[in-house]
């Protein structure tokens, strides 16, 4: 019976593929996307039938929330997080046969022309979304943002270099602890005494005059604290480094304010397994001698993120998300949607007369991760259980802080936030 069920399931999947292929809203079969050259590597990857980011974006249709499967839940997880339904459907359509290639992306050689077109198009679209200048490299790596806690100092610092850290939450704290193995970090500010509920006045922070760089976590996933503007390193030759894992591509960012941006993909732009690094090219090539080959930015830049087998399917999924974000009008429009969702949720919390509370200072509340507590902690278990029964899941706060947390990334539809707010009001009416 198990064999028959598996066979039937595969048959259903293939039938679904063929049934949906005609209605696909992404670029048509056989239209391989735009490829790039790599100035840093001194190589030119052969150009395959090319289409511009704008053309690809116009071919993508945003998926209305009402078209979602009735079996899908509203997933408020912090990561891996919800993905756009139209992206999932597109991936389903192309799972068995990618655009007439006769194989799945999961089966492709990472050096074949088909996957080269995928990764190059993904980079082109990401550059278009964030307006990434040509003097910055874009790398698709592995190991999560946590690996970058070590990779950054190994690539840009000597063991004797001073580096400054502003720590606004758990992830900034982890990065600070890791960097001490590779250079000389200075903790110039920490929000720990205030339970990581605020961000400091930059002018009041005493930076190190000779620091090589200044590191921040742009959005703290656990504590719900987000930088609304960014500090400038005191040392004129220093540069800003940001872990943007949980707000990457949620709003426009001036990339030129940073020397390095790194982010795990599994919040806003794809499944887990892909780490994106955007780095100014003049910072590449000075790695410490002990740097492992897989952490050396120059190795990956010279090989166009293809030094070894990359997370191919994850990169493909990121590429579909980038197309979807472009189709929505780019990050200016995406930010508007994110602000609206966050305002609705924070308003519900703030207007509850203390039944719900958000501990974060209002001026630095995250648009992505909304932590909140109930006036009676013993009600939290019931809240989570009843929300799950209404198909709203993963609302439990991080184990280190407790309470609730609603992660409302790009792919969380407005309808999901509206349903959560309606549930919160109903729950309050019954227990307030």
């Amino acid at each position: 019976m198990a064999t028959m069920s598996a066979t039937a399931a595969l048959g259903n999947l293939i039938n679904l593929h063929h049934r949906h292929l005609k209605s696909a809203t992404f670029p048509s079969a056989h239209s391989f996307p735009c490829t790039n050259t790599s100035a840093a590597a001194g190589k030119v990857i052969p150009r395959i039938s090319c289409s511009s980011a704008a053309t690809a974006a116009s071919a993508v249709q945003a998926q209305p929330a009402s078209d979602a499967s009735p079996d899908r839940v509203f997933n408020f997880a912090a990561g891996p997080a919800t993905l756009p339904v139209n992206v999932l459907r597109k991936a389903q359509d192309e799972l068995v046969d990618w655009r007439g290639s006769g194989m799945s992306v999961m089966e492709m050689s990472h050096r074949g022309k088909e996957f080269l077109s995928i990764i190059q198009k993904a980079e082109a679209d990401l550059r278009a979304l964030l307006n990434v200048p040509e003097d910055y490299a874009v790398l698709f790596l592995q190991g999560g943002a946590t690996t970058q806690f070590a990779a950054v100092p190994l690539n840009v610092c000597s063991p004797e270099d001073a580096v400054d850290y502003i720590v606004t939450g758990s992830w900034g704290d982890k990065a600070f602890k890791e960097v001490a193995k590779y250079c000389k970090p200075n903790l110039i500010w920490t929000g720990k005494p205030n339970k990581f509920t605020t961000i400091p006045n930059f002018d009041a922070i005493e930076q190190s005059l000779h620091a090589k760089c200044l590191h921040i976590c742009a959005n703290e996933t656990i504590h719900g604290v987000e930088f609304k503007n960014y500090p400038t390193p005191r040392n004129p030759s220093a540069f800003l480094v940001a872990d943007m894992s949980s707000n990457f591509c949620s709003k426009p960012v001036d990339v030129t304010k940073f020397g390095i941006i790194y982010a795990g993909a599994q919040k806003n732009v794809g499944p887990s397994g892909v780490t994106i690094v955007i780095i100014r090219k003049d910072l590449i090539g000075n790695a410490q001698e002990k740097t492992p080959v897989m952490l050396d930015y120059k190795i990956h830049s010279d090989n166009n993120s293809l030094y070894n087998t990359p997370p191919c399917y994850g990169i493909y999924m990121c590429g579909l998300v980038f197309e979807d974000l472009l189709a929505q009008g780019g990050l200016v429009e995406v930010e508007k949607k994110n602000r609206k969702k966050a305002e609705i949720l924070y308003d519900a919390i703030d207007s509850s007369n203390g039944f719900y509370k958000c501990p974060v200072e209002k001026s630095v509340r995250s648009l992505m991760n909304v932590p909140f507590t109930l006036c009676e902690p013993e009600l939290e278990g019931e809240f989570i259980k009843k929300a799950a029964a209404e198909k709203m899941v993963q609302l439990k706060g991080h184990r280190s802080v407790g309470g609730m947390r609603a992660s409302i990334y790009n792919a969380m539809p407005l309808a999901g936030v509206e349903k959560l707010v309606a549930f919160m009001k109903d729950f309050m009416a019954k227990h307030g």
Side-chain angles (χ1 to χ4, degrees):
M1 290 296 293
T3 303
M4 291 177 63
S5 298
T7 303
L10 180 59
N12 288 338
L13 178 62
I14 294 172
N15 288 335
L16 276 172
H17 163 70
H18 289 297
R19 188 160 65 247
H20 287 293
L21 195 58
K22 292 182 180 180
S23 61
T25 56
F26 281 60
S28 60
H30 306 293
S31 63
F32 292 154
C34 188
T35 63
N36 294 334
T37 60
S38 174
K43 302 175 183 176
V44 178
I45 296 176
R47 184 170 291 274
I48 304 166
S49 179
C50 186
S51 62
S52 69
T55 301
S58 66
V60 184
Q61 300 292 326
Q63 185 72 27
S66 59
D67 287 351
S69 165
D71 296 324
R72 281 183 61 81
V73 298
F74 287 119
N75 178 8
F76 292 92
T82 190
L83 286 164
V85 173
N86 56 319
V87 165
L88 294 173
R89 284 179 170 156
K90 179 59 178 176
Q92 180 187 51
D93 289 341
E94 297 184 334
L95 180 62
V96 176
D97 180 1
W98 182 80
R99 304 183 190 183
S101 66
M103 56 184 162
S104 171
V105 174
M106 286 186 274
E107 303 170 292
M108 291 176 179
S109 165
H110 63 292
R111 303 194 190 281
K113 66 178 183 179
E114 293 88 359
F115 184 71
L116 288 181
S117 74
I118 289 171
I119 191 170
Q120 291 160 359
K121 179 60 164 54
E123 178 179 339
D125 283 351
L126 178 57
R127 285 182 177 275
L129 279 168
L130 285 171
N131 194 26
V132 179
E134 284 301 315
D135 60 339
Y136 282 73
V138 173
L139 308 176
F140 293 95
L141 307 177
Q142 302 178 64
T146 302
T147 301
Q148 298 308 310
F149 298 167
V152 168
L154 282 169
N155 276 273
V156 300
C157 299
S158 73
E160 300 305 313
D161 280 337
V163 292
D164 285 350
Y165 274 67
I166 296 174
V167 173
T168 53
S170 294
W171 293 110
D173 189 51
K174 290 177 188 293
F176 173 72
K177 290 174 179 175
E178 180 72 5
V179 74
K181 302 173 185 177
Y182 309 108
C183 57
K184 298 187 180 301
N186 300 311
L187 181 60
I188 62 173
W189 190 89
T190 177
K192 192 171 185 178
N194 295 317
K195 298 183 178 180
F196 298 123
T197 56
T198 189
I199 286 175
N201 178 348
F202 304 140
D203 294 335
I205 298 177
E206 194 65 38
Q207 294 188 43
S208 308
L209 181 60
H210 302 293
K212 187 71 176 287
C213 61
L214 172 61
H215 182 282
I216 64 171
C217 180
N219 185 84
E220 284 285 354
T221 318
I222 294 174
H223 293 91
V225 178
E226 182 174 18
F227 282 76
K228 304 304 180 180
N229 51 65
Y230 304 105
T232 301
R234 181 181 176 189
N235 179 1
S237 63
F239 50 91
L240 186 60
V241 179
D243 175 357
M244 288 192 180
S245 293
S246 52
N247 66 352
F248 187 66
C249 285
S250 68
K251 60 184 179 180
V253 170
D254 183 354
V255 173
T256 64
K257 291 184 178 294
F258 302 85
I260 303 173
I261 293 170
Y262 63 91
Q266 69 275 12
K267 316 287 188 178
N268 268 314
V269 298
S272 60
V274 181
T275 307
I276 296 169
V277 173
I278 300 173
I279 177 170
R280 215 171 63 208
K281 290 179 180 178
D282 65 299
L283 299 175
I284 297 173
N286 301 302
Q288 294 182 28
E289 187 175 347
K290 63 183 177 183
T291 304
V293 65
M294 285 304 295
L295 299 189
D296 191 330
Y297 293 149
K298 188 175 191 304
I299 294 290
H300 294 293
S301 178
D302 287 352
N303 288 276
N304 304 293
S305 300
L306 298 170
Y307 174 73
N308 72 325
T309 307
C312 296
Y313 198 80
I315 293 170
Y316 156 74
M317 290 294 294
C318 288
L320 296 186
V321 172
F322 297 151
E323 287 185 5
D324 181 60
L325 295 175
L326 286 168
Q328 292 181 48
L331 298 186
V332 171
E333 294 303 314
V334 169
E335 183 183 22
K336 290 178 183 177
K337 296 176 183 178
N338 287 332
R339 285 190 179 280
K340 182 175 182 180
K341 290 183 297 183
E343 286 171 4
I344 291 172
L345 183 50
Y346 284 120
D347 284 347
I349 294 169
D350 293 339
S351 63
S352 69
N353 294 318
F355 188 85
Y356 302 106
K357 291 183 180 179
C358 174
V360 180
E361 182 183 302
K362 288 186 178 182
S363 63
V364 293
R365 286 177 172 178
S366 171
L367 298 185
M368 300 285 99
N369 311 102
V370 181
F372 60 97
T373 57
L374 274 66
C375 62
E376 298 180 30
E378 58 271 19
L379 289 174
E380 292 176 358
E382 183 181 352
F383 182 98
I384 292 167
K385 182 179 179 179
K386 288 191 173 180
E390 296 293 330
K391 295 190 174 181
M392 292 175 287
V393 302
Q394 299 294 323
L395 284 164
K396 187 175 181 178
H398 191 269
R399 60 187 180 276
S400 65
V401 296
M404 309 289 118
R405 175 179 55 179
S407 293
I408 51 174
Y409 298 123
N410 291 348
M412 173 57 65
L414 177 62
V417 177
E418 290 175 335
K419 183 173 181 178
L420 174 59
V421 166
F423 171 80
M424 291 169 66
K425 291 179 179 178
D426 182 62
F427 189 87
M428 182 176 66
K430 292 177 180 177
H431 298 280

